[in-house]
Amino acid sequence: MMSPWIKNLLRLSFSSSSQISHKFPMEIEIKLRLPDSAAHQKLSDILSLYHTKTHLQQNLFFDTPQLTLATTHLAALRLRFYDLDTQSILSLKSKPKLSNGISRIEEIEHPLDPTLARACAAEPRRFSAVQGSGVLERVVGEFGVGLDELVCLGGFRNVRAVYIWNGLKVELDESEYEFGVCYEVECESDRPEEVKVMLEELLERNGIRFCYSKMSKFAVFRSGKLPEFGFDVLVTCELETYEDVDDDPLVRTRYSMMREQ
């Protein structure tokens, strides 16, 4: 285990080196949830002409046994494998905000050799062999978590179909958890409100039911159950900390119309 004085030294070193620029890249995504496989298949068929590739992903998460990253720092350390280990990426997500279908979260990434990544997944202490990773430097330096403290929490698999539609990179996800399957549409954009309207109109025009995603995939994994589908409860989500917010009248009206159909 890393001694407290070494942790403090690393934290101070990180802080002093971060004074020049403490900002991390912000990922902004629209996240819309689909009710079932039929809606997922219907949207897949509609977008088929715009399909570019499909990824088979495995997502694994790491934290201390006390869940220090998740509970104290609202952060998630994820190792993602692509397409039968042809690629792997280590990422750290933190300070999440999810409201009305728009997710904002700090994210930094570091590509790893898949062989080393598999070794780290099997024995997380092997993360200490990773050199020059801003992800792990932040875990240790800012969050004060020693790499020898990390354990694998498990994870989930995801099939992600990617489409280029109206100049947008639209991702259609089928996420398989031990407790069920969740279907989502995601699209990263620096114009989230405008793009959200475009996606909503696409779904509504084709009679596909949807609602705003209430939880991140990590939060769903942590909760051990699929969130309820629908607009009747709107929440702001920070990993697994939820806070009620006022209903959006437009959303309430749309949901009422859906229930009447």
Side-chain angles (χ1 to χ4, degrees):
M1 299 294 287
M2 185 178 296
S3 64
W5 73 268
I6 292 179
K7 287 184 182 180
N8 289 334
L9 181 62
L10 287 169
R11 188 180 295 110
L12 289 172
S13 174
F14 180 89
S15 298
S16 61
S17 64
S18 301
Q19 287 177 356
I20 296 176
S21 177
H22 187 65
K23 290 187 176 181
F24 295 91
M26 179 71 71
E27 178 190 65
I28 304 175
E29 285 185 314
I30 296 87
K31 292 178 176 285
L32 305 178
R33 186 178 170 198
L34 303 177
D36 49 36
S37 60
H40 176 275
Q41 184 61 56
K42 185 172 184 179
L43 182 57
S44 176
D45 292 342
I46 291 167
L47 294 175
S48 60
L49 292 178
Y50 309 99
H51 181 260
T52 60
K53 55 191 170 184
T54 296
H55 290 300
L56 304 179
Q57 302 174 342
Q58 181 186 20
N59 300 280
L60 299 175
F61 298 94
F62 301 84
D63 206 332
T64 68
Q66 299 77 27
L67 303 177
T68 305
L69 292 174
T71 58
T72 303
H73 303 288
L74 293 178
L77 181 62
R78 183 190 70 198
L79 185 55
R80 172 176 286 173
F81 295 90
Y82 290 82
D83 306 324
L84 302 177
D85 292 7
T86 59
Q87 181 186 12
S88 57
I89 296 179
L90 181 67
S91 65
L92 180 66
K93 298 195 174 198
S94 60
K95 300 180 181 179
K97 301 288 184 182
L98 177 55
S99 179
N100 293 334
I102 297 177
S103 167
R104 292 176 171 86
I105 190 168
E106 289 184 357
E107 181 179 35
I108 50 176
E109 297 182 332
H110 180 84
L112 286 183
D113 175 84
T115 302
L116 175 57
R118 280 296 174 194
C120 292
E123 298 180 83
R125 62 181 177 81
R126 292 181 177 269
F127 278 121
S128 59
V130 178
Q131 302 296 317
S133 171
V135 170
L136 296 177
E137 288 173 1
R138 191 179 183 199
V139 168
V140 176
E142 182 178 353
F143 298 150
V145 172
L147 300 184
D148 58 345
E149 299 178 68
L150 296 175
V151 297
C152 183
L153 304 179
F156 63 92
R157 294 183 182 275
N158 186 49
V159 179
R160 171 166 289 177
V162 182
Y163 308 86
I164 303 299
W165 173 78
N166 283 354
L168 302 172
K169 183 180 179 181
V170 178
E171 298 169 333
L172 185 56
D173 285 349
E174 180 180 359
S175 302
E176 182 179 350
Y177 303 91
E178 290 184 355
F179 44 83
V181 181
C182 193
Y183 304 94
E184 283 185 303
V185 183
E186 296 187 352
C187 183
E188 188 170 350
S189 175
D190 58 1
R191 302 175 288 117
E193 295 291 351
E194 176 185 341
V195 172
K196 185 174 74 166
V197 171
M198 292 172 64
L199 291 174
E200 289 177 343
E201 290 178 346
L202 170 67
L203 296 170
E204 291 174 343
R205 186 167 60 249
N206 288 281
I208 299 175
R209 295 175 61 232
F210 69 96
C211 70
Y212 298 154
S213 295
K214 305 179 180 76
M215 304 168 66
S216 69
K217 288 182 174 66
F218 176 63
V220 173
F221 163 71
R222 287 281 318 281
S223 72
K225 62 181 180 179
L226 298 180
E228 293 184 5
F229 178 83
F231 280 120
D232 49 344
V233 179
L234 298 179
V235 297
T236 297
C237 171
E238 295 191 0
L239 293 183
E240 60 173 4
T241 300
Y242 315 110
E243 187 175 312
D244 288 340
V245 297
D246 292 337
D247 283 355
D248 182 328
L250 177 62
V251 172
R252 172 65 67 180
T253 300
R254 181 179 293 133
Y255 177 64
S256 298
M257 292 175 64
M258 286 178 181
R259 296 187 65 176
E260 292 171 0
Q261 292 178 351

